[in-house]
Amino acid sequence: MANARKTKIADKEEILTFLTSVMRNEELGEKDRIGAAFRLGRYLGLEGKDEETDELPRVIIYDGTKPDKLP
């Protein structure tokens, strides 16, 4: 992390480390911790997802040997 401080712009790892430390810091207010968790969740693509109903995208490989039966 010392190398990251030498540059003027924080890299992705430094930002994620900072947000994680804020989220886990029990000395900070709940509002700050929830905000950090929300930002991490948004970055990870968890916003608006429901594990029970969301499915992974289907991948269909078409090799041209059979007629196309895609919807």
Side-chain angles (χ1 to χ4, degrees):
M1 184 125 126
N3 290 338
R5 298 271 177 170
K6 292 180 183 178
T7 62
K8 289 186 177 186
I9 299 174
D11 64 0
K12 177 174 67 172
E13 184 176 346
E14 184 178 0
I15 293 168
L16 293 175
T17 301
F18 172 77
L19 288 173
T20 301
S21 68
V22 170
M23 182 187 76
R24 293 180 177 167
N25 187 345
E26 295 181 7
E27 295 177 6
L28 294 176
E30 187 174 327
K31 183 178 179 180
D32 294 327
R33 295 177 66 206
I34 289 173
F38 178 78
R39 285 172 179 78
L40 281 169
R42 186 184 317 162
Y43 173 79
L44 295 172
L46 302 175
E47 187 175 286
K49 299 234 179 195
D50 183 7
E51 287 185 24
E52 294 180 15
T53 58
D54 287 350
E55 296 180 13
L56 294 174
R58 289 181 41 192
V59 177
I60 300 172
I61 299 173
Y62 178 69
D63 61 4
T65 59
K66 295 182 182 178
D68 187 7
K69 294 184 179 179
L70 296 175

